[in-house]
Amino acid sequence: MQVEERHAGDVRILSIADARVDARSAPALKESVAAVLSAGTRKIVLDLGRVEFVDSTGLGVIVSCLKQVGRGGEFVIASCSQSVATLFRLTRMDKVFRVFASTDEAVHSLQTARGE
Amino acid sequence: VPSQTFAIASDVAQVPELCQGIRALLSSQRVDDADAIPIEICVAEAVNNVIEHGYRGDPNQTVEVVASVEPRRVVLEVRDHGPVFDPTSRRLSSLEPDLTDINALPERGRGLAIIREVMNEVSYLRRDDMNTLRMARDLPPHVESRDAT
């Protein structure tokens, strides 16, 4: 799996460049998040804009990323395809994660939250 | 009834191609995305379960999916020749998260719960050294193009 990184202020954006986050590809995502956290970042946007399909193994890894970030940080989702949104809804993860329509919206929300 | 059999090696790397085949069949039969997407998710979950639990990761076995598109429902049979493995006998984990304790969120074990959520019927049969997981989802009646066939 290829994960591209960029940042906007103190927000780090991780964009998955693969079409699937599944049993085969997901572990690489966990490593990327761990690397970003060890560099001190606490606000992460996971951009799923190019992802067409996530299975429950991939979802499990995304959940593990949320746990890694923990209460001291923010880990939000941006740009879900219809299929990914369906999986989040079926598994009630839409209640657990903050999901934004675009990375811009997600970044804006995390940056706005900084001063509060 | 339009029906198609898909066969793959028991390797998770093969699952995307299988899913694409299922989606192409559903699309050709004008099954709406609102039904086709959750059906595709269930096929991936069922086949992943066979590979991981039935064949225990052995990539040199075969998994078959027979997909039939009836006017008012889609029926999928996932078949394998692994040891007896009845996923319906497993305790079903709840999909409802405990929002007060993020650290307690499970990272595994949602596959069968998703299948139960999406499908109207789920049953298991062991016959002639073969496991068959049968899943059926009812389709809404309003699609004229499909009803006309």
Side-chain angles (χ1 to χ4, degrees):
Chain A
M1 172 187 283
Q2 194 184 342
V3 183
E4 297 168 359
E5 282 184 46
R6 59 197 165 96
H7 55 85
D10 61 346
V11 178
R12 189 64 60 111
I13 301 154
L14 298 179
S15 298
I16 295 177
D18 294 32
R20 297 177 74 94
V21 182
D22 58 17
R24 191 180 179 214
S25 66
L29 173 63
K30 200 169 183 172
E31 290 171 18
S32 292
V33 170
V36 166
L37 288 173
S38 67
T41 304
R42 285 290 172 271
K43 296 179 179 180
I44 299 173
V45 176
L46 183 65
D47 168 21
L48 298 179
R50 281 171 282 178
V51 175
E52 294 163 11
F53 189 86
V54 177
D55 70 8
S56 70
T57 305
L59 184 72
V61 170
I62 294 172
V63 168
S64 80
C65 293
L66 178 72
K67 293 182 187 177
Q68 280 186 72
V69 173
R71 291 191 183 280
E74 296 260 20
F75 182 79
V76 306
I77 308 289
S79 307
C80 288
S81 69
Q82 193 183 347
S83 173
V84 177
T86 299
L87 183 74
F88 271 68
R89 197 174 62 249
L90 283 172
T91 57
R92 320 295 193 264
M93 287 301 107
D94 56 340
K95 297 179 185 173
V96 171
F97 287 88
R98 295 171 68 199
V99 180
F100 295 88
S102 69
T103 50
D104 284 351
E105 279 182 41
V107 167
H108 180 74
S109 172
L110 297 192
Q111 286 179 333
T112 307
R114 178 172 47 184
E116 290 170 358
Chain B
V1 172
S3 176
Q4 202 171 332
T5 301
F6 303 85
I8 61 164
S10 52
D11 181 340
V12 288
Q14 303 286 315
V15 176
E17 193 180 323
L18 170 70
C19 287
Q20 281 166 14
I22 300 281
R23 281 298 292 278
L25 171 67
L26 297 176
S27 174
S28 74
Q29 298 304 310
R30 300 180 194 285
V31 175
D32 194 81
D33 277 355
D35 295 295
I37 286 170
I39 288 169
E40 179 190 5
I41 291 170
C42 289
V43 169
E45 297 301 333
V47 173
N48 281 343
N49 265 343
V50 167
I51 293 171
E52 184 181 353
H53 301 294
Y55 287 135
R56 298 185 182 279
D58 176 358
N60 300 311
Q61 305 295 323
T62 304
V63 187
E64 261 184 19
V65 178
V66 182
S68 309
V69 185
E70 301 174 4
R72 296 289 172 86
R73 66 177 184 166
V74 174
V75 181
L76 302 132
E77 290 193 359
V78 179
R79 300 171 179 174
D80 70 82
H81 292 278
V84 174
F85 174 65
D86 177 3
T88 65
S89 69
R90 297 191 150 206
R91 198 174 67 84
L92 201 58
S93 54
S94 169
L95 288 170
E96 289 302 330
D98 178 357
L99 297 176
T100 64
D101 188 3
I102 295 300
N103 281 320
L105 286 173
E107 295 174 26
R108 310 180 43 81
R110 289 186 177 86
L112 187 63
I114 292 169
I115 291 170
R116 289 278 192 199
E117 180 92 357
V118 168
M119 295 292 169
N120 297 92
E121 292 174 40
V122 182
S123 60
Y124 166 82
L125 178 70
R126 176 79 181 184
R127 189 172 58 197
D128 300 333
D129 293 332
M130 184 169 76
N131 298 305
T132 300
L133 182 71
R134 188 174 185 278
M135 311 183 285
R137 176 175 168 100
D138 296 341
L139 298 176
H142 60 271
V143 180
E144 289 174 18
S145 50
R146 199 179 58 238
D147 288 351
T149 59

